[in-house]
Structures are given as C-alpha cells and as structure tokens.
Amino acid sequence: MVTMEQKKAYDRVMRVVNGSEEGFFFRYGHGGCSKIFIYNLMSAKVRSRGKIVLTVASSGIAPLLLINGRIAHSRFKILITVDEYSTYNIRQGSLLAKLLIKIDLIIWDEAPMLSRYCYEALDICLRDIITHASIANCERPFRGNVVVLGGDFRQILPIITRGSRQDIVHATINSSYLWEFAEVM
Ligand SMILES: Nc1ncnc2c1ncn2[C@@H]1O[C@H](COP(=O)(O)OP(=O)(O)OP(=O)(O)O)[C@@H](O)[C@H]1O
C-alpha cells in the first residue's frame, strides 16, 4: 500500500503523462525513502497502457532494481568525458532516434551522480531529434518530454578530477539552466 506522499508524487506524474502537459520532475529523498519503488510503480502503469518508458540510472547497481533499467551511458550513448559542448552520439533516423521521438516518460535514477552536462546534452539531443518530427514544445526542457530525475544530493556527486568544492557544485544538475524548470517532489 502506498503512502499519501508516494501517491501524491505518483498521481502528479501520471496526470502529466496522461494529459497534454509537459513536465520535468526531480524526486528528491534520502536513501531508502522509496524513490525506486515509485519509479517502478510509474513505469509499470505507463507501460501497461502501451506507452514507452525509458528507465535508466547513473550507476551500475541502481538499474538492476529498476524494471527494464539500463545504465544511462549505455542507453543514451553518452560520452565518458562530457563538457558543455557535448551531445549524444545518436544519429537522425537511427533506431534510437526513432525510439526517442516516441517515448512518453524518461526515468533517471541517481541523477546527482552525473555532470549536469549529461542532462543538458539529453536536452539538446531531444530538441535536435524531435525538431524533425514536430515543432511543438520547442521552448520546453527536454522538448516537452516528461522526465523524472531522482536521487539524493547528500550521496555521491559528480567526480571532477582535481576539482574544487565549487567545481563539483557547479557540475551538479541543480546548477544547470534546466533546474529552474524542475518540479521537486
Ligand atoms: N509503500 C510501500 N510499501 C511497501 N514497501 C515499500 C513502500 N515504499 C517503499 N517500500 C520499500 O522500501 C524499500 C526502500 O525503497 P526504495 O528502494 O524504493 O528506496 P530508494 O529511495 O530508491 O533507496 P536508494 O536511494 O537507496 O536507492 C524497498 O524495499 C521498497 O520495496
């Protein structure tokens, strides 16, 4: 049985996935506070309606707990070293590009572990790929796709070789231009 707080977060995302709204959510909570439990609930429900959900995680262990989870680097072909100019290695017309045009929900766990440039590259990639399919939502983050990131900023942050505290904070997702669109839940 889900708690009231879990139901509220689940209902909020489901309303957006089922409606025409776009949404970018961040599920924030400490370890063991049911983030994966909610992701699995959401992905099972959305998939049961014949819709497409991509579930990924930043680290090698978390995808094992997600239903059909994959490592984000493998799923999106993210380069190992990313910077502000990075994009994903996905070609127009490829099978992955066609899949990305059709997705209804992206769930990405352990998001604080990766550099914000990984998410900004996803944003650029979706804008680029979906531009060829539709001109709707061109101003919205992730081209209007429903994206749920999640994780705990008190756990592992991006690793910056010989980086200072400021460099690490600057590399996290909440320093990104995308963060102003995020609905934290
Ligand atoms: N409403 C619920 N009913 C039954 N079990 C629950 C419920 N909510 C959470 N749990 C259980 O609590 C445990 C911790 O939940 P979960 O793994 O989703 O946490 P998490 O926030 O993803 O943890 P971490 O940050 O360490 O990955 C799991 O075993 C999960 O099945």
Side-chain angles (χ1 to χ4, degrees):
M1 201 169 134
V2 292
T3 64
M4 289 302 287
E5 190 279 326
Q6 291 170 343
K7 185 169 181 336
K8 198 172 151 204
Y10 169 86
D11 285 345
R12 176 75 187 103
V13 175
M14 286 303 110
R15 261 202 314 279
V16 173
V17 173
N18 294 331
S20 54
E21 288 173 71
E22 64 284 325
F24 169 33
F25 301 94
F26 192 93
R27 176 88 179 144
Y28 179 51
H30 56 78
C33 82
S34 77
K35 295 184 292 296
I36 287 180
F37 181 80
I38 291 292
Y39 303 146
N40 285 338
L41 219 55
M42 290 173 188
S43 62
K45 183 68 179 177
V46 176
R47 285 178 178 137
S48 74
R49 295 188 172 158
K51 295 186 174 184
I52 300 173
V53 184
L54 294 186
T55 42
V56 298
S58 306
S59 78
I61 301 296
L64 301 176
L65 301 172
L66 291 165
I67 300 171
N68 291 339
R70 292 267 303 265
I71 296 174
H73 278 81
S74 149
R75 175 77 277 177
F76 294 123
K77 300 184 187 299
I78 308 174
L79 300 174
I80 297 296
T81 310
V82 288
D83 60 26
E84 59 198 294
Y85 306 109
S86 298
T87 54
Y88 291 175
N89 191 17
I90 303 173
R91 279 183 297 123
Q92 286 288 349
S94 62
L95 283 178
L96 183 52
K98 286 177 186 164
L99 177 67
L100 287 175
I101 291 169
K102 291 186 175 172
I103 42 173
D104 297 287
L105 175 63
I106 296 176
I107 294 174
W108 192 325
D109 192 30
E110 306 292 3
M113 280 181 71
L114 289 186
S115 162
R116 67 188 171 103
Y117 299 130
C118 292
Y119 309 102
E120 292 176 5
L122 175 64
D123 180 44
I124 294 165
C125 174
L126 289 174
R127 284 169 193 272
D128 185 33
I129 287 170
I130 299 174
T131 301
H132 289 72
S134 139
I135 55 161
N137 294 322
C138 46
E139 300 303 320
R140 299 295 306 166
F142 304 109
R143 197 54 196 262
N145 278 284
V146 186
V147 175
V148 179
L149 304 184
D152 181 6
F153 289 103
R154 289 159 292 193
Q155 294 181 18
I156 303 170
L157 295 178
I159 293 167
I160 310 292
T161 313
R162 287 187 286 280
S164 64
R165 190 185 177 99
Q166 287 92 326
D167 294 333
I168 295 169
V169 170
H170 183 68
T172 54
I173 174 69
N174 53 1
S175 296
S176 168
Y177 66 85
L178 293 166
W179 190 252
E180 67 176 286
F181 299 98
E183 185 177 326
V184 180
M185 58 183 195

